[in-house]
Structures are given as structure tokens and as C-alpha cells.
């Protein structure tokens, strides 16, 4: 199930001519909403439940959420869909490497943007193949087109804060294109 943690409306009223900028205030709002929802939905005090960030994009969210939740050990899975910073320059998803906290059995995956779910699916399937469980996926931004797509996340909720449409592109305040 896909669940919006804020309000289910498309940023910038869906206009794709203007650049979508996620500034520090919007990011922190998203991180706080995600952290609060994790506290309400999961037993994060259990050492068997941990956070996993999809690198590269989710690293700021992973670190911020870990601080809000007072989690010191975090896991990272690096996957790649592009070799450039060009808009919509997607390629096939490739697994690069991972660093998983050894005693964690259940993961909450953090993403920056879920456009079509390919990175999340790769991470979920890889974790399942290792005998791990995925409790949920959280994203700062979700592409509205993904609402209608089928995905491998059976019985896993995807929760997000902001929504864009298929023609929009997001720049986060830490990215190279943000100030252009």
C-alpha cells in the first residue's frame, strides 16, 4: 500500500516547467514525519530492526532519521541507475555493494525518490534472499505514476511525504543542480 504522510497533492501543482526544489525546511519536515511514523509503527528499540539507506540519494535521510530515532548502527546498500546527473538518465539498476548491521533481521528502507520502485525492489529482493525481512519503505518523494504500477513489495507499505508527476524533476538542496 502507498501512503502519503503529508497531503496527497502534487508539488508545484504538477507544473513541469519550473524546477522542483526540496529545500532544507522541506527536507527536515519530511525527515521528522518519517521518523515519527517509524516510531509509531515499528519496534525500533529492538536491535533486530534497523534502518537501511539506498545510496547515494538516501544518505541525508538515513543519517537524519537515525539521529532523530537515536539509532547508532545503520545499514547501506549502494545501487546505481545512472552514470550522470542528467535528468531522467535512467539505466538498468545495478547492485554495487552493501554494509548491513550483522544482527539486524528486519529492515526499514529509506529512499530519496521512488520513481518506479526499481531500486527498492532490488534492495527488498536482495534482503529476502539473505533471509532478512523488510518492514517498510519510506521516501521523501514519490512519482505519482508509481501509484498505478505493480511492484515486488508485497505486503510492504511504501510511505512518502511529497508527490511529483512523471514530467517533474526534483533537486535537493545538497545537489549540484539545486542552485542552477
Amino acid at each position: 500500500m502507498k501512503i502519503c504522510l503529508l497531503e496527497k497533492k502534487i508539488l508545484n501543482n504538477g507544473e513541469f516547467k519550473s524546477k522542483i526544489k526540496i529545500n532544507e525546511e522541506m527536507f527536515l519536515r519530511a525527515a521528522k514525519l518519517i521518523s515519527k511514523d517509524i516510531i509509531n509503527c515499528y519496534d525500533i528499540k529492538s536491535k533486530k530492526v534497523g534502518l537501511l539507506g539506498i545510496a547515494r540519494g538516501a544518505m541525508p535521510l538515513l543519517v537524519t532519521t537515525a539521529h532523530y530515532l537515536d539509532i547508532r548502527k545503520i545499514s547501506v546498500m549502494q545501487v546505481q541507475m545512472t552514470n550522470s546527473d542528467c535528468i531522467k538518465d535512467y539505466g538498468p539498476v545495478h547492485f554495487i555493494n552493501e554494509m548491513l548491521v550483522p544482527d539486524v533481521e528486519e529492515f526499514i528502507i529509506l529512499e530519496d525518490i521512488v520513481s518506479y520502485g526499481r531500486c527498492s525492489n532490488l534492495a527488498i529482493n536482495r534482503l529476502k534472499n539473505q533471509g532478512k525481512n523488510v518492514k517498510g519503505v519510506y521516501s521523501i518523494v514519490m512519482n505519482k505514476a508509481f501509484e498505478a504500477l505493480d511492484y515486488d513489495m508485497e505486503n510492504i507499505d511504501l510511505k512518502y511525504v511529497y508527490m511529483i508527476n512523471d514530467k517533474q524533476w526534483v533537486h535537493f538542496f545538497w545537489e549540484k543542480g539545486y542552485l542552477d
Side-chain angles (χ1 to χ4, degrees), residues 68-84:
Y68 283 149
L69 300 176
D70 198 27
I71 294 174
R72 297 290 173 223
K73 294 180 181 178
I74 56 174
S75 297
V76 176
M77 185 177 294
Q78 187 176 7
V79 300
Q80 183 177 10
M81 287 191 340
T82 181
N83 283 321
S84 77

Side-chain angles (χ1 to χ4, degrees), residues 28-87:
L28 290 174
R29 183 180 198 188
K32 287 176 184 175
L33 286 168
I34 288 169
S35 298
K36 184 177 179 181
D37 195 75
I38 290 172
I39 288 169
N40 291 333
C41 295
Y42 306 105
D43 181 12
I44 60 165
K45 298 295 180 201
S46 166
K47 294 186 188 228
K48 295 186 185 301
V49 177
L51 300 177
L52 180 134
I54 303 292
R56 192 173 77 151
M59 300 316 295
L61 180 61
L62 173 64
V63 172
T64 304
T65 304
H67 278 285
Y68 283 149
L69 300 176
D70 198 27
I71 294 174
R72 297 290 173 223
K73 294 180 181 178
I74 56 174
S75 297
V76 176
M77 185 177 294
Q78 187 176 7
V79 300
Q80 183 177 10
M81 287 191 340
T82 181
N83 283 321
S84 77
D85 288 323
C86 294
I87 294 174

Side-chain angles (χ1 to χ4, degrees), residues 9 11 25 31-32 35 38 41 54 62 69 80 82 88 98 112 134 155 170 178:
K9 77 176 196 182
L11 289 174
E25 180 182 329
K32 287 176 184 175
S35 298
I38 290 172
C41 295
I54 303 292
L62 173 64
L69 300 176
Q80 183 177 10
T82 181
K88 308 277 186 182
E98 65 190 6
D112 58 345
V134 176
N155 302 320
V170 172
Y178 184 78

Side-chain angles (χ1 to χ4, degrees), residues 15-179:
E15 291 186 30
F16 56 88
K17 293 178 183 173
S18 61
K19 184 187 278 191
I20 306 281
K21 291 185 173 186
I22 303 291
N23 61 26
E24 184 178 1
E25 180 182 329
M26 292 173 74
F27 168 75
L28 290 174
R29 183 180 198 188
K32 287 176 184 175
L33 286 168
I34 288 169
S35 298
K36 184 177 179 181
D37 195 75
I38 290 172
I39 288 169
N40 291 333
C41 295
Y42 306 105
D43 181 12
I44 60 165
K45 298 295 180 201
S46 166
K47 294 186 188 228
K48 295 186 185 301
V49 177
L51 300 177
L52 180 134
I54 303 292
R56 192 173 77 151
M59 300 316 295
L61 180 61
L62 173 64
V63 172
T64 304
T65 304
H67 278 285
Y68 283 149
L69 300 176
D70 198 27
I71 294 174
R72 297 290 173 223
K73 294 180 181 178
I74 56 174
S75 297
V76 176
M77 185 177 294
Q78 187 176 7
V79 300
Q80 183 177 10
M81 287 191 340
T82 181
N83 283 321
S84 77
D85 288 323
C86 294
I87 294 174
K88 308 277 186 182
D89 182 19
Y90 300 131
V93 178
H94 292 75
F95 169 79
I96 297 174
N97 61 35
E98 65 190 6
M99 182 192 73
L100 302 179
V101 177
D103 55 345
V104 172
E105 295 173 8
E106 300 178 321
F107 288 93
I108 298 165
I109 295 176
L110 300 174
E111 287 260 39
D112 58 345
I113 300 175
V114 173
S115 288
Y116 300 102
R118 294 185 293 161
C119 292
S120 299
N121 282 336
L122 185 144
I124 289 167
N125 290 325
R126 185 162 177 83
L127 290 167
K128 283 183 178 180
N129 288 338
Q130 296 176 46
K132 307 291 185 181
N133 186 22
V134 176
K135 302 295 277 181
V137 176
Y138 287 86
S139 182
I140 299 169
V141 177
M142 186 184 86
N143 183 338
K144 182 166 178 46
F146 188 61
E147 282 189 316
L149 299 175
D150 292 327
Y151 59 108
D152 298 343
M153 299 179 209
E154 58 191 55
N155 302 320
I156 299 172
D157 288 338
L158 167 61
K159 297 181 181 182
Y160 62 95
V161 179
Y162 304 110
M163 182 182 286
I164 60 171
N165 67 33
D166 209 24
K167 298 193 186 307
Q168 293 175 309
W169 189 257
V170 172
H171 291 273
F172 291 98
F173 69 93
W174 59 82
E175 292 179 321
K176 172 169 77 174
Y178 184 78
L179 296 175

